[in-house]
Amino acid sequence: MSSGERGWRDRADVLEGRAIRMPLRTYEDELQLHKTAMKLAEGCRRKADMLSDPSISVATAYDREFEYIAERCKYRLRQVAGDDYEGVARAYIMGERDDLAGELAVYYLEALWRIQRRSTVQGMLFFPLIIRYPDSYTANLRFPQVHTTTESVLFESPEHGEVGPDDPHAQQYFDESQYEQERAADYLRRATRTYREQFPHPDDLPEDEPVYGGIVGAAGRRGSMFTEMLAPVEPDRDRFDEPITEPTLVPAGKEAERTAREYLPSGAEVVG
C-alpha cells in the first residue's frame, strides 16, 4: 500500500458485520485457499523463530509476518478488483463507482491498513475468522477495541517498555521477557499445525464427503504487552443454501457471534 493513500482508511462501515465469501468451485480455488493458509502458517512460524532470537525485536517479527499477510491479501485484491485495486478503491470512496469490486477493494485495503497498525496502535486487536464450507469460504477480518482475548498467550516486549538498561531490575525484566517470548514462540509453532489441519491440500481432501474447517486468531498490544491466539472453529453447516460463482460480501454469520462471545471480554466493540 502506498503511504499517500488515505481514502479507504477508517471505513468501518465496509468492514462492520460483514465477511468476504469466495467460491471453491475448482481444484485451483482449493489450491489457492490452501496456499493462503500455508502462507499464514509460514508467517506464524517465522514470527515464532524471531521471537526466540533475543537479537531480533518484536516489532521486526510483526513486520515480517505482515509481509506474508499482505502478499495473500494483495493476491485476492487483484482477483476481485484487478491490478489497479487502489484506483478501484479510491473511485468507490469518491463516489465515482458503486459496485461490488469497489466495495471488496475497500474491504481488503482497510483491513490491510489496520493489520499493519496492530503492533503500533494500542488497544486494537486483529481478530480474523476464516471458515471453509464445501463450495466456498469466508474471511471475516475483525478489529475489536480490546487488546487481548480470554485464551491468549501474553508476552512482554522490552523495546516497548519503560525499563532502561540502568534500572536495577533491568536484567531480571529482560530475562523474564525473553522467557515469555520463548513460551509464545512455542505456542505459535504448535498453532501452525491448526492451519494445516483446517485447510488441507486439495489432493488430501476426501472425495465422498463435504469438507468443513475454520480458524479464529488474535494478535494485539497494550503498552509493552503483546497477545497471540489461534484456535479451530466449527462451521455452521446450515449457513449457505446456494453456491456462488464470484466473490461477494455476506453477513458475518453465527460463527462470528459465537467466537466473539467465547473469546472477547464482555461488551467489546467489534469492527468487522
Side-chain angles (χ1 to χ4, degrees):
M1 255 186 317
S2 62
S3 60
E5 296 298 338
R6 299 292 189 271
W8 52 81
R9 298 185 173 183
D10 297 323
R11 282 300 305 267
D13 58 315
V14 173
L15 292 171
E16 190 169 0
R18 304 165 91 186
I20 292 180
R21 185 185 179 197
M22 301 287 288
L24 290 174
R25 304 175 62 213
T26 66
Y27 182 93
E28 181 62 24
D29 291 341
E30 292 279 5
L31 184 60
Q32 289 303 324
L33 173 59
H34 174 72
K35 285 183 175 180
T36 295
M38 293 306 96
K39 276 290 181 183
L40 296 176
E42 179 65 10
C44 191
R45 187 190 66 78
R46 291 287 182 93
K47 180 167 64 176
D49 291 344
M50 286 185 278
L51 289 177
S52 295
D53 187 341
S55 68
I56 299 177
S57 70
V58 171
T60 297
Y62 276 83
D63 287 344
R64 295 294 178 269
E65 185 194 34
F66 175 74
E67 293 174 3
Y68 286 88
I69 296 172
E71 179 182 335
R72 294 315 290 177
C73 278
K74 289 177 180 179
Y75 172 83
R76 294 303 185 192
L77 272 163
R78 292 185 180 94
Q79 273 191 310
V80 302
D83 290 338
D84 186 26
Y85 50 78
E86 290 188 354
V88 170
R90 185 165 51 249
Y92 181 85
I93 291 293
M94 298 299 293
E96 297 169 1
R97 61 188 295 163
D98 183 19
D99 60 356
L100 183 59
E103 203 168 18
L104 290 169
V106 172
Y107 187 105
Y108 272 120
L109 284 168
E110 168 64 15
L112 198 56
W113 177 64
R114 288 173 182 262
I115 295 167
Q116 191 172 24
R117 297 169 68 222
R118 65 187 164 151
S119 63
T120 58
V121 175
Q122 300 191 46
M124 183 184 74
L125 192 73
F126 178 40
F127 191 48
L129 176 66
I130 305 174
I131 306 288
R132 73 149 297 150
Y133 307 90
D135 56 17
S136 65
Y137 75 92
T138 58
N140 186 356
L141 307 179
R142 303 176 291 177
F143 301 89
Q145 301 303 306
V146 295
H147 80 285
T148 191
T149 74
T150 57
E151 300 295 329
S152 289
V153 171
L154 304 174
F155 62 93
E156 279 279 338
S157 168
E159 69 185 292
H160 294 86
E162 299 179 355
V163 178
D166 297 329
D167 188 288
H169 303 291
Q171 190 59 53
Q172 179 182 355
Y173 172 67
F174 292 141
D175 290 345
E176 290 177 353
S177 297
Q178 190 57 44
Y179 171 79
E180 291 176 356
Q181 289 182 34
E182 287 279 4
R183 186 180 62 161
D186 288 342
Y187 174 87
L188 290 170
R189 291 189 186 100
R190 293 193 300 272
T192 61
R193 294 197 294 267
T194 304
Y195 285 110
R196 294 180 172 86
E197 292 166 355
Q198 297 299 313
F199 306 104
H201 192 280
D203 290 345
D204 298 326
L205 296 176
E207 296 182 1
D208 56 351
E209 61 183 79
V211 179
Y212 295 87
I215 61 99
V216 59
R221 172 195 163 209
R222 183 173 67 184
S224 58
M225 184 69 70
F226 282 70
T227 181
E228 291 284 344
M229 188 205 81
L230 186 73
V233 174
E234 179 64 30
D236 174 8
R237 300 193 174 214
D238 298 322
R239 182 172 182 186
F240 297 115
D241 295 327
E242 299 292 337
I244 57 171
T245 58
E246 300 292 338
T248 189
L249 284 165
V250 296
K254 293 180 180 178
E255 300 98 334
E257 297 173 3
R258 189 173 70 246
T259 52
R261 286 196 307 269
E262 184 173 356
Y263 294 110
L264 297 182
S266 177
E269 180 183 352
V270 180
V271 175

